[in-house]
Amino acid sequence: MSNWYSECSPLEKRTFWASFGGWALDALDVQMFGLAIPALIVAFSISKADAGLLSSVTLFFGAFGGWLGGALGDRFGRVKALQITVLTFALATFASAFAMSYTQLLVLKAIQGLGFGAEWAVGAVLMAEIIRPEHRGKALGSVQSAWAVGWGAAVLLSALVFTYAPADIAWRILFAIGLLPALLIIYIRRGLKEPPRAVAKDAEPFFATFSGIFHRDVLRSTLVGGLFGIGAHGGYAALTTFLPTYLREVRHLSVLGSSGYLAVIIVAFFCGCVASGTISDRVGRRANVTLFASACIVTVLVYIFAPLTDAQMLVLGFPLGFFSAGIPASMAALFSELYPAGVRGTGVGFCYNFGRIVSAAFPLLVGFLSDHIGLGPAIGIDAAFAYSLVLIAVLLLPETRGKVFEQAAAARV
């Protein structure tokens, strides 16, 4: 990171760390919930299905929040919207620590999802507009890697809290830590500058901004970008939903439950994001996505169908995490470069999050196919199909590397 980072202006550096920190703290809050599920089941006497609903509600409202947050950024400005979205998910996570019923927790998780989805869309576009074009892919890929940082922090914090705090309040302490992102608001308010005319016209109704991505001038970008998002999220969902079950029940791999396996995936995700951003700026958006999507298909098929040992499965976990991370790491730069300033946030939020909603069908497809052809082949076919959608989409999109956002150029100094 040092070479391109050293060329950045003070504002570019502040914007990078604000976006990186916001996304890392997003991951911290979201991953903490997954780690606290066993404690929540006991605390509220709920079933695993009820716990799953909490996660589904967060993802659904996160998808809607991304579209809404992007539109808010277009209408009222990126920095102001970023402040609101970070504060929303931080306070919702903190309030979850005091939930007295399952229903209260469900509502708070929905609010958290709204803020979580919106924060990514707004932060990604702000970074895309502030950072200079030749470094846009590297910067946004590095920001995406912050998810691994937050994920790792969540694992460490949960281990610490559940080890030393009483079992009945450990999860509450963990959620209370979610207020930490609110401290980022002070930095965002004082350190960042709004890109000139990044907002839509004041006279334009908000609904026009919200629906502007379906105007004939950008409709093709919206439709193809949505297809890209479906494939990217669908492939990830097909893998992560049933892969643990496959490894445990079909391959009987003890490595699944080890901390080593989790560490490999987290490190691989981080490296994949950074590498994707670097390659994207060097060879172009289309070539980069084609490389990572093709590698995902090959790696998934080998992972599922090759007769691997326990140790080999652990080693292959790195390229699997590496290549699957490279696709989402490319999305912020690519989607941002497809849209004009007035609907850029709305477009990025929609394309990324529309795929998140539709991707819910991919685990269902894996489950259906597994009844007929077995779990392994079902995962392999489903994931390969999803990443093939990414390949189709990227072939239908223009090359956007180096695109200059004129309205934001003056803000870099």
Side-chain angles (χ1 to χ4, degrees):
M1 183 178 77
S2 58
N3 290 336
W4 69 264
Y5 183 79
S6 63
E7 298 176 8
C8 291
S9 68
L11 177 62
E12 288 176 299
K13 292 177 180 178
R14 287 196 300 269
T15 306
F16 171 80
W17 287 116
S19 300
F20 187 97
W23 191 230
L25 291 167
D26 270 356
L28 174 68
D29 284 3
V30 172
Q31 296 296 336
M32 281 194 308
F33 167 74
L35 296 166
I37 283 179
L40 294 175
I41 291 176
V42 173
F44 293 108
S45 300
I46 58 177
S47 66
K48 291 181 180 178
D50 291 331
L53 180 60
L54 288 169
S55 180
S56 297
V57 164
T58 305
L59 291 175
F60 176 82
F61 279 88
F64 182 75
W67 187 8
L68 176 63
L72 288 172
D74 286 335
R75 184 65 178 81
F76 301 108
R78 318 296 188 210
V79 175
K80 182 181 295 185
L82 191 60
Q83 294 170 1
I84 295 171
T85 58
V86 173
L87 188 62
T88 298
F89 82 75
L91 290 179
T93 303
F94 180 72
S96 297
F98 304 96
M100 302 306 296
S101 69
Y102 173 77
T103 301
Q104 290 178 5
L105 188 59
L106 193 67
V107 172
L108 289 169
K109 291 298 292 180
I111 297 173
Q112 184 201 48
L114 283 173
F116 160 73
E119 192 277 336
W120 183 91
V122 178
V125 174
L126 177 64
M127 266 299 296
E129 291 182 334
I130 291 295
I131 203 75
R132 60 197 68 191
E134 62 267 28
H135 298 322
R136 188 177 294 135
K138 293 185 285 290
L140 286 167
S142 297
V143 166
Q144 189 75 22
S145 74
W147 185 268
V149 175
W151 186 1
V155 172
L156 294 175
L157 278 173
S158 63
L160 184 65
V161 171
F162 279 100
T163 298
Y164 294 103
D168 57 335
I169 64 168
W171 65 271
R172 295 186 184 274
I173 295 174
L174 196 62
F175 286 170
I177 297 174
L179 186 63
L180 288 175
L183 300 177
L184 191 63
I185 297 296
I186 300 174
Y187 175 83
I188 292 173
R189 182 180 294 125
R190 297 178 59 183
L192 301 186
K193 183 166 64 174
E194 189 70 43
R197 290 315 304 161
V199 296
K201 296 179 180 179
D202 293 339
E204 188 175 75
F206 178 71
F207 180 76
T209 303
F210 194 65
S211 61
I213 55 173
F214 299 107
H215 189 275
R216 63 179 179 272
D217 292 341
V218 293
L219 180 60
R220 176 185 173 87
S221 294
T222 300
L223 294 177
V224 180
L227 180 65
F228 189 117
I230 291 172
H233 288 293
Y236 183 80
L239 280 175
T240 58
T241 302
F242 282 102
L243 188 58
T245 302
Y246 170 75
L247 294 176
R248 182 178 63 252
E249 298 183 0
V250 178
R251 290 296 182 91
H252 306 290
L253 295 179
S254 61
V255 71
L256 173 66
S258 71
S259 58
Y261 184 86
L262 185 60
V264 166
I265 296 298
I266 292 176
V267 172
F269 187 92
F270 180 90
C271 295
C273 289
V274 175
S276 177
T278 301
I279 296 172
S280 178
D281 279 341
R282 182 165 298 179
V283 304
R285 313 301 188 220
R286 297 179 69 192
N288 177 68
V289 172
T290 300
L291 170 64
F292 275 87
S294 300
C296 274
I297 294 173
V298 173
T299 307
V300 166
L301 294 179
V302 172
Y303 201 79
I304 294 297
F305 294 110
L308 303 175
T309 65
D310 196 326
Q312 289 170 337
M313 189 67 71
L314 176 64
V315 172
L316 194 60
F318 187 89
L320 185 68
F322 181 90
F323 291 123
S324 62
I327 297 176
S330 67
M331 294 168 73
L334 176 60
F335 290 161
S336 295
E337 292 163 346
L338 291 175
Y339 291 94
V343 293
R344 183 170 295 130
T346 312
V348 171
F350 176 83
C351 291
Y352 187 87
N353 290 286
F354 177 73
R356 180 180 288 169
I357 293 177
V358 179
S359 68
F362 283 80
L364 294 176
L365 181 59
V366 171
F368 174 78
L369 290 176
S370 67
D371 292 334
H372 298 83
I373 61 176
L375 184 56
I379 294 174
I381 291 173
D382 203 30
F385 170 71
Y387 290 126
S388 296
L389 294 181
V390 175
L391 288 174
I392 293 172
V394 78
L395 292 176
L396 296 174
L397 292 173
E399 177 56 58
T400 58
R401 178 181 58 156
K403 183 174 181 179
V404 177
F405 299 152
E406 298 292 346
Q407 87 287 348
R412 298 189 187 104
V413 296

